[in-house]
Amino acid sequence: MILPPKPPARPDKVSLWRYVKLFRQDILSAQPAKLYRAWMAEFRTPFFRSFMVNDPTLVDLVLKERPDDFPKSSRVSEGLRPLLGESVFLTNGETWKRQRRIIDPAFEGGRLRDTFPAMWAASQACVARLEEGIIEIEEVTSHAAADVIFRTLFSIPIENEIAAEVFNEFRDYQRSQPIVNIAAFLPLPRWMPRFFRRRTRETAKSVRNLIARLTQARADEIAAGTAPDDLATKIMTTADPETGERFTPEEMVDQVAIFFLAGHETSASALAWTLYLLALYPEWQERLAQESAALNKCDFKVMSELKLSRDVFREALRLYPPVPMMVREAGCPHTFRGREVKTGSQIVLSPWHLHRHERIWARPDAFEPERWQTEEGRRCAREAYMPFSAGSRVCTGAGFAMVEGPLILSMLLKMFRFELVEGRVPQPVAHLTVRAKDGIWLKVSKR
Ligand code: HEM
């Protein structure tokens, strides 16, 4: 049985400078294989200590039991601040709590049902755009995921002039953006990551100006009583239940920027890997294609019938978690597995390693969507599965993504077949999300 691609591991012992070099290329292949078996690893640098924790009880401590002791690491946030400002992804403490109180209601179950027609329309548009031939599939899934965000948030398709411009500028941003996670591992003094390239700052500014036009227009429509009932309207009209305050149009720019970034990069990565896995395991592709017959009308209830599609998407999120690592900072001293964790230490949580942990999962590197229907699979899911993080800072869009992913997948498989292209084995690398080094190439043909 062939296994899905996994990045090569580095040798156990390398010099610091070799590590830095490897790290700059890709954080996944810069790690030694022993991290797939370790419960914890300590990285010592002259300026601070980092701990990668794979022990489920420590992961729970950091994310669920004492999240206030482990705020988001400012070392990592710096890289995204020019684009995301004070968005919910970067803030901590009271500011973050207030922001979540306003945002969370927009993503609750009932609202998800309301956004379904927009997701359906975006999935159909994706099918209509797709052409036969050998194509790079990440481009296709990025386009589709960006379309979903604009349609659900602002009721506009990606063809809209401003939407298209935001999408294009974002690509530039990613290209010019340094790998942010680097700052959590490497012995750089705290001021280092602040030196952004000029191009990065300029792109961030231009994306934010474009978004500001959308939020201002929406504020005007809300005032005039003509606003559509979508996520942007819901968020901009929700008052914080504790203070009664709403987001100002400026604050909304920060939040829209993160919805766009967190919502489209991640889903695009997950969908592209899922399609690759289905090309690698055509028997699963056929099963999903059969299941897709259920998609006959735009009705949220259809989601309960896309069970295989959901399990396959879950399995792809296990093998290729779009956010491979997350970083927190110890806000006070702790002891982890008998070791002293000083204030200011960087705590790295790694869905990438946890999801393939050899002491937790049976056949961790194998693609086995059927595992999700077993007792053993469910136990592992509780202990060691967190593609959307966990605890109070869990991804706000988790429910949204678990509808969008299986729906787009199923819609595509109803119409198309995806096959491997000889000589093109994608190698996973971590950019902002887990992507393939030279793209994911597939042969697409109509069914
Ligand atoms: C497959 C798709 C997705 C994956 C794998 C994913 C994963 C994650 C992860 C791991 C985090 C936590 C990051 C950290 O703590 O450092 C996160 C946070 C977040 N995600 Fe997602 N996400 C996805 C889709 C979405 C979508 C569709 C949206 C919105 C429309 C969204 C909005 C957010 C926001 C706002 C946060 C910040 C939450 C906070 O810090 O309080 N995500 N996501």
Side-chain angles (χ1 to χ4, degrees):
M1 185 73 166
I2 26 165
L3 291 175
K6 183 177 179 182
R10 70 149 164 90
D12 273 352
K13 290 218 179 313
V14 289
S15 71
L16 179 64
W17 292 115
R18 172 116 177 90
Y19 185 45
V20 171
K21 205 164 154 237
L22 287 167
F23 209 108
R24 289 181 73 87
Q25 285 160 8
D26 165 42
I27 61 171
L28 298 179
S29 52
Q31 311 302 339
K34 63 182 177 197
L35 292 187
Y36 293 106
R37 292 185 295 276
W39 293 126
M40 185 166 99
E42 187 176 344
F43 305 85
R44 291 171 188 226
T45 82
F47 296 94
F48 59 91
R49 296 268 164 93
S50 293
F51 295 85
M52 181 187 279
V53 294
N54 282 335
D55 175 345
T57 54
L58 285 179
V59 174
D60 269 13
L61 176 82
V62 173
L63 293 178
K64 293 188 190 158
E65 286 164 33
R66 309 201 60 89
D68 290 345
D69 287 0
F70 300 98
K72 279 232 160 165
S73 160
S74 53
R75 281 179 174 272
V76 176
S77 308
E78 292 293 349
L80 291 168
R81 207 162 293 277
L83 179 69
L84 301 181
E86 287 295 298
S87 93
V88 65
F89 193 79
L90 301 182
T91 50
N92 281 311
E94 281 313 310
T95 309
W96 169 79
K97 286 184 183 151
R98 168 178 163 268
Q99 292 172 338
R100 286 288 298 234
R101 287 197 296 268
I102 298 179
I103 290 168
D104 283 356
F107 287 90
E108 275 162 10
R111 294 296 303 184
L112 214 51
R113 194 177 292 263
D114 298 341
T115 58
F116 188 72
M119 283 192 195
W120 178 277
S123 314
Q124 284 194 318
C126 173
V127 169
R129 270 192 310 265
L130 192 59
E131 287 177 7
E132 291 184 293
I134 292 180
I135 54 166
E136 201 287 296
I137 209 75
E138 284 182 338
E139 285 267 330
V140 173
T141 55
S142 278
H143 207 135
D147 195 22
V148 169
I149 292 291
F150 280 111
R151 286 179 195 255
T152 52
L153 208 55
F154 283 110
S155 305
I156 52 177
I158 188 77
E159 286 77 23
N160 170 286
E161 203 184 319
I162 302 183
E165 222 177 310
V166 173
F167 181 47
N168 289 333
E169 291 279 336
F170 244 98
R171 283 195 202 164
D172 281 2
Y173 184 79
Q174 261 171 265
R175 283 189 201 122
S176 63
Q177 137 87 32
I179 298 173
V180 287
N181 283 329
I182 213 164
F185 287 89
L186 294 186
L188 303 176
R190 190 167 276 282
W191 45 264
M192 271 290 273
R194 287 197 195 139
F195 286 96
F196 304 114
R197 284 180 227 158
R198 214 180 71 202
R199 176 98 190 90
T200 311
R201 274 197 315 256
E202 279 168 7
T203 317
K205 206 162 147 209
S206 123
V207 172
R208 292 178 58 86
N209 285 342
L210 288 165
I211 294 176
R213 279 163 59 192
L214 292 174
T215 53
Q216 190 51 56
R218 178 52 57 89
D220 297 344
E221 283 170 328
I222 291 171
T226 56
D229 180 23
D230 52 22
L231 290 177
T233 298
K234 171 74 183 160
I235 295 169
M236 290 173 80
T237 54
T238 298
D240 173 358
E242 288 190 15
T243 63
E245 285 168 19
R246 299 202 165 97
F247 284 143
T248 61
E250 295 74 44
E251 279 177 289
M252 189 61 189
V253 172
D254 295 344
Q255 312 310 337
V256 171
I258 186 56
F259 292 146
F260 187 72
L261 180 73
H264 108 278
E265 263 287 304
T266 48
S267 291
S269 152
L271 275 166
W273 283 107
T274 315
L275 287 168
Y276 178 77
L277 287 166
L278 289 172
L280 196 57
Y281 304 100
E283 62 290 359
W284 275 100
Q285 184 168 167
E286 286 318 304
R287 291 179 69 185
L288 259 65
Q290 277 169 23
E291 184 184 73
S292 68
L295 292 173
N296 43 30
K297 76 173 194 301
C298 174
D299 180 350
F300 189 65
K301 285 198 206 96
V302 76
M303 289 314 297
S304 62
E305 293 182 46
L306 304 184
K307 292 196 174 72
L308 293 176
S309 185
R310 207 177 154 88
D311 282 350
V312 163
F313 192 64
R314 262 192 203 147
E315 183 69 345
L317 286 174
R318 183 182 71 80
L319 288 166
Y320 301 103
V323 180
M325 291 180 205
M326 298 173 282
V327 188
R328 300 290 190 265
E329 195 163 304
C332 55
H334 270 272
T335 307
F336 283 3
R337 297 182 69 85
R339 289 211 214 154
E340 187 191 5
V341 175
K342 290 200 177 123
T343 305
S345 300
Q346 304 291 295
I347 313 297
V348 181
L349 304 146
S350 175
W352 183 274
H353 291 92
L354 205 58
H355 290 182
R356 291 174 182 256
H357 205 280
E358 292 163 11
R359 297 205 224 167
I360 299 177
W361 299 87
R363 296 168 303 287
D365 294 331
F367 174 73
E368 290 182 3
E370 64 272 29
R371 73 170 86 233
W372 297 101
Q373 295 307 327
T374 65
E375 197 34 59
E376 148 99 0
R378 290 196 196 104
R379 180 187 56 78
C380 290
R382 283 191 300 274
E383 273 184 19
Y385 184 66
M386 50 167 195
F388 298 106
S389 183
S392 52
R393 266 210 112 126
V394 69
C395 170
T396 39
F400 182 103
M402 287 308 295
V403 174
E404 172 193 10
L407 177 66
I408 295 183
L409 205 56
S410 196
M411 199 80 103
L412 283 171
L413 293 173
K414 191 171 183 186
M415 301 302 288
F416 292 96
R417 176 170 287 116
F418 297 84
E419 289 165 287
L420 299 179
V421 178
E422 213 183 311
R424 290 259 185 200
V425 180
Q427 196 201 317
V429 287
H431 291 297
L432 213 48
T433 53
V434 172
R435 290 302 175 111
K437 189 155 166 262
D438 300 306
I440 296 182
W441 293 83
L442 294 173
K443 179 170 171 243
V444 181
S445 50
K446 286 216 169 89
R447 282 194 177 267

PDB file of all heavy atoms in Angstrom, residues 266 424 432 446:
ATOM      1  N   THR A 266      -6.567  28.337   4.409  1.00  0.00           N
ATOM      2  CA  THR A 266      -6.673  27.034   5.068  1.00  0.00           C
ATOM      3  C   THR A 266      -7.569  26.073   4.281  1.00  0.00           C
ATOM      4  O   THR A 266      -7.180  24.948   4.002  1.00  0.00           O
ATOM      5  CB  THR A 266      -7.273  27.227   6.468  1.00  0.00           C
ATOM      6  OG1 THR A 266      -8.411  28.069   6.319  1.00  0.00           O
ATOM      7  CG2 THR A 266      -6.296  27.853   7.414  1.00  0.00           C
ATOM      8  N   ARG A 424       4.821  13.669 -10.788  1.00  0.00           N
ATOM      9  CA  ARG A 424       4.472  14.848  -9.976  1.00  0.00           C
ATOM     10  C   ARG A 424       3.980  14.409  -8.605  1.00  0.00           C
ATOM     11  O   ARG A 424       2.771  14.270  -8.384  1.00  0.00           O
ATOM     12  CB  ARG A 424       3.352  15.636 -10.659  1.00  0.00           C
ATOM     13  CG  ARG A 424       3.766  16.342 -11.908  1.00  0.00           C
ATOM     14  CD  ARG A 424       3.974  17.776 -11.548  1.00  0.00           C
ATOM     15  NE  ARG A 424       4.268  18.594 -12.712  1.00  0.00           N
ATOM     16  CZ  ARG A 424       4.855  19.766 -12.607  1.00  0.00           C
ATOM     17  NH1 ARG A 424       5.212  20.236 -11.449  1.00  0.00           N
ATOM     18  NH2 ARG A 424       5.098  20.481 -13.683  1.00  0.00           N
ATOM     19  N   LEU A 432       2.522  29.797   4.800  1.00  0.00           N
ATOM     20  CA  LEU A 432       1.570  30.287   5.793  1.00  0.00           C
ATOM     21  C   LEU A 432       0.700  29.092   6.213  1.00  0.00           C
ATOM     22  O   LEU A 432       0.308  28.950   7.362  1.00  0.00           O
ATOM     23  CB  LEU A 432       0.726  31.370   5.121  1.00  0.00           C
ATOM     24  CG  LEU A 432       0.254  32.511   5.973  1.00  0.00           C
ATOM     25  CD1 LEU A 432       1.359  33.107   6.800  1.00  0.00           C
ATOM     26  CD2 LEU A 432      -0.373  33.577   5.096  1.00  0.00           C
ATOM     27  N   LYS A 446     -13.910  15.046 -17.401  1.00  0.00           N
ATOM     28  CA  LYS A 446     -15.352  15.002 -17.036  1.00  0.00           C
ATOM     29  C   LYS A 446     -15.776  13.555 -16.815  1.00  0.00           C
ATOM     30  O   LYS A 446     -15.263  12.664 -17.468  1.00  0.00           O
ATOM     31  CB  LYS A 446     -16.169  15.601 -18.192  1.00  0.00           C
ATOM     32  CG  LYS A 446     -16.049  17.088 -18.280  1.00  0.00           C
ATOM     33  CD  LYS A 446     -17.389  17.701 -18.729  1.00  0.00           C
ATOM     34  CE  LYS A 446     -17.375  19.193 -18.566  1.00  0.00           C
ATOM     35  NZ  LYS A 446     -16.874  19.901 -19.755  1.00  0.00           N
TER      36      LYS A 446
END
